[in-house]
Amino acid sequence: MAIEIAPNIVVDPQIRFGKPVIKGTRVPVHVLVAKVAGGMGPEQVAYEYGVTLEEVRAALAYAD
């Protein structure tokens, strides 16, 4: 059972061992944050991982 912990971010013990992921995907929040921290632009990260720019921003806000 997924629990929304922030806008567009959920945790579910059955997905990625309960790590925060983007809602409706298996994309971990920490991966998106790490890619932006490593120098990729948010638009490029969204494209590479098949998520929206809004979801990348939600991951960054959650990590802040």
Side-chain angles (χ1 to χ4, degrees), residues 1-13 15-24 27-30 58-59 61-64:
M1 177 172 133
I3 299 170
E4 190 164 1
I5 58 172
N8 293 317
I9 298 174
V10 298
V11 292
D12 183 337
I15 299 174
R16 299 283 182 170
F17 306 103
K19 301 289 185 195
V21 297
I22 299 301
K23 186 176 186 178
V27 179
V29 168
H30 74 88
Y62 174 75
D64 188 24

Side-chain angles (χ1 to χ4, degrees), residues 24-39:
T25 74
R26 297 179 65 82
V27 179
V29 168
H30 74 88
V31 170
L32 302 180
V33 172
K35 291 297 181 175
V36 172

Side-chain angles (χ1 to χ4, degrees), residues 11-12 19 41 44 46-47 51 55 59:
V11 292
D12 183 337
K19 301 289 185 195
Q44 187 178 9
Y47 176 78
V51 298
E55 291 167 333

